[in-house]
Amino acid sequence: MKIAVIGTGYVGLVAGAGFAEFGNDVTCVDVDAARVAALAGGAIPIYEPGLDDLVHRNAAEGRLRFTTELAPAVAGADVVIIAVGTPQGNYGLGANLEQVWTAGRDVARALTGFAVIATKSTVPVGTADRLKEILAADSAHPFAVASNPEFLKEGDAVNDFMKPARIIIGCDDERGIAAMRNLYAPFVRTADRVLVMDVRSAELSKYAANAMLATRISFMNELARLAEMVGADIESVRSGIGSDPRIGSKFLFPGPGFGGSCFPKDIRALAHTAHGHGIELSVVEAADRANERQKRLLASRVRQHFGGASLSGRRVALWGLAFKPGTDDVRESPALAIADDLATAGAEVTAYDPAAADTFRAQMGDRVSIASDMYAALDGADALVLVTEWKQFRRPDFPRIRSAMRGTALFDGRNIWNPAELTALGFHYYGIGRPRPPR
Ligand code: NAD
């Protein structure tokens, strides 16, 4: 099939390369000329395991191209995938859909025959209907509109895309449904995991999935606070409830709060949609509020440890800046809030991340120093705060940490270290929702 993908961010680039891998002829379009030039020259602008191989192989074999010219990419396409950004609006909590409308208008004028225009961007209920109107106003050709929400996880995006747990196609046009089924047939050869539904249900499904996942995290973070107050260990509670098949063990990890380009903006957009219909999604709104509070927790613990508000003269090391392991994405990462709070309190902050140093620096400027090595970040530190659980942080050389640091305070934001072991080594250990071992 001939496919045009509009937007070459985390979603568009992975999707474009994934469709090309199954033999489709794919052109990826972006308005960012520097990004397109980089991609055309073989540079991959984002860090995502396995993506460089996938892009290079398909580009070399002539099935994957990059351009800023939308019209030739869309001409003759069977399917046009819209994967542009839908950030939080500047003046409210709803999604800003300007990129989608612009793409829609450009696609309408570029159609040369029937095509399915599918939104992979996360968009509020009703977007496909509005997109249909925009397309109809400018297109001289028949088309179908579909909602095809994307469920990939950054850090494991290629795997998720190539082996999807489910594919949702929201469409009310038989020709459109047939084309979308055709597109995804190679992805679901072992079991048909394609769910066809009406457009609005497809749009809502994506927000519902993210809201459910975000709520689980906030629920555990709130329980962790209570566990500390009552002398329980949230890790035992997590095992205790996760073994119930109705609950399941995934997404029950307490931590420094969720971040990323999706959960925070999507739960706000969902709550905003509900308000527009006179309804309050109180659970979803509470999950957002609990998360904002949680992002401030680790820095306030550090301040408490040092006996007050000011951290002047204190050196604090941060391990992990990306919002999750496996990505260079720091959008809404709790590390931003933590670094900001620590620096504001006067601490000298040195951070290390295996992939996100540049993206973090772009947001924080020089308020935080970036070390080139995880142990170098610890030089003379009074405290170490683990924010993102990259694999290399799971079993570090603790005696080396002990001798590199000036102080002894360890703040384990992911509960990945053994409190008793660290206490025996002379550290002051703080987890999330865990009792502090006696010293
Ligand atoms: P991104 O910001 O990384 O990429 C968006 C790209 O679209 C940018 O490169 C931008 O230059 C380009 N663009 C904007 N307007 C354009 C236009 N008119 N024509 C061509 N290109 C244009 O965004 P992302 O993280 O890939 O997310 C895209 C969408 O997918 C969002 O709606 C997001 O919520 C959703 N989503 C993201 C993820 C994720 O993990 N990142 C997962 C599922 C869904």
Side-chain angles (χ1 to χ4, degrees), residues 103-439:
R105 280 189 288 269
D106 292 347
V107 169
R109 287 190 285 268
L111 289 175
T112 55
F114 177 82
V116 187
I117 292 94
T119 42
K120 206 168 244 320
S121 302
T122 302
V123 291
V125 176
T127 301
D129 291 342
R130 176 78 193 109
L131 188 60
K132 208 183 271 184
E133 290 168 6
I134 287 177
L135 287 159
D138 276 337
S139 170
H141 298 276
F143 60 85
V145 166
S147 164
N148 175 217
E150 180 52 55
F151 294 96
L152 62 75
K153 299 185 292 295
E154 283 182 31
D156 204 17
V158 171
N159 260 330
D160 283 345
F161 191 80
M162 300 309 285
K163 296 182 201 128
R166 80 300 210 185
I167 290 153
I168 292 187
I169 296 169
C171 190
D172 55 13
D173 178 295
E174 286 308 322
R175 245 170 119 185
I177 294 169
M180 293 301 284
R181 276 197 182 278
N182 216 356
L183 176 63
Y184 279 108
F187 294 81
V188 293
R189 260 176 66 75
T190 37
D192 189 359
R193 293 178 301 277
V194 174
L195 305 173
V196 176
M197 57 184 76
D198 66 275
V199 176
R200 286 178 174 244
S201 301
E203 289 171 334
L204 187 55
S205 296
K206 173 63 190 175
Y207 282 101
N210 279 357
M212 172 67 88
L213 294 171
T215 301
R216 279 170 75 97
I217 296 174
S218 277
F219 174 82
M220 287 307 285
N221 284 339
E222 289 207 315
L223 267 193
R225 294 167 85 93
L226 181 61
E228 283 175 18
M229 304 306 287
V230 300
D233 185 340
I234 194 68
E235 290 304 313
S236 303
V237 177
R238 184 170 65 75
S239 317
I241 63 173
S243 49
D244 183 332
R246 292 170 303 177
I247 296 173
S249 56
K250 295 194 172 154
F251 260 80
L252 286 183
F253 292 91
F258 57 77
S261 67
C262 293
F263 287 2
K265 81 167 170 64
D266 290 349
I267 61 175
R268 287 172 203 147
L270 180 61
H272 180 80
T273 299
H275 277 287
H277 289 81
I279 289 173
E280 186 191 11
L281 293 185
S282 52
V283 173
V284 173
E285 291 184 20
D288 187 22
R289 278 199 305 280
N291 192 54
E292 285 308 302
R293 188 177 51 202
Q294 193 72 7
K295 291 206 289 195
R296 294 350 273 202
L297 179 81
L298 278 171
S300 84
R301 287 265 156 92
V302 175
R303 285 203 307 273
Q304 271 166 22
H305 175 82
F306 291 110
S310 172
L311 291 173
S312 161
R314 301 289 181 187
R315 285 191 190 168
V316 182
L318 286 191
W319 275 3
L321 302 171
F323 84 94
K324 66 194 287 198
T327 179
D328 59 351
D329 197 344
V330 299
R331 289 179 280 185
E332 301 250 4
S333 172
L336 290 167
I338 295 165
D340 184 52
D341 285 356
L342 292 171
T344 303
E348 206 181 298
V349 183
T350 306
Y352 171 75
D353 187 284
D358 292 343
T359 46
F360 189 79
R361 201 182 281 112
Q363 294 240 2
M364 284 296 287
D366 53 10
R367 292 185 75 207
V368 166
S369 320
I370 305 283
S372 54
D373 166 79
M374 62 192 262
Y375 293 104
L378 303 172
D379 235 0
D382 297 293
L384 165 61
V385 182
L386 174 96
V387 187
T388 315
E389 71 280 30
W390 287 90
K391 284 203 184 76
Q392 54 264 58
F393 300 148
R394 283 178 194 247
R395 218 40 242 165
D397 182 342
F398 287 111
R400 186 171 169 192
I401 295 177
R402 184 83 172 81
S403 56
M405 286 175 62
R406 177 165 77 183
T408 54
L410 294 191
F411 297 83
D412 174 3
R414 300 288 175 171
N415 290 354
I416 57 176
W417 295 331
N418 181 329
E421 179 194 350
L422 296 185
T423 305
L425 283 170
F427 289 107
H428 280 73
Y429 175 88
Y430 296 86
I432 307 266
R434 309 177 92 177
R436 293 207 41 220
R439 291 175 54 80

Side-chain angles (χ1 to χ4, degrees), residues 6 9-11 30-31 84 86 99 122 150 154 262 265 331:
I6 318 296
Y10 288 84
V11 169
D30 205 294
V31 286
V84 297
T86 51
Q99 297 178 29
T122 302
E150 180 52 55
E154 283 182 31
C262 293
K265 81 167 170 64
R331 289 179 280 185

Side-chain angles (χ1 to χ4, degrees), residues 20 39-40 42 53-66:
L39 284 163
D53 276 359
L54 197 66
V55 170
H56 291 149
R57 186 173 52 253
N58 284 287
E61 291 170 12
R63 291 187 298 271
L64 181 63
R65 284 171 298 280
F66 300 97

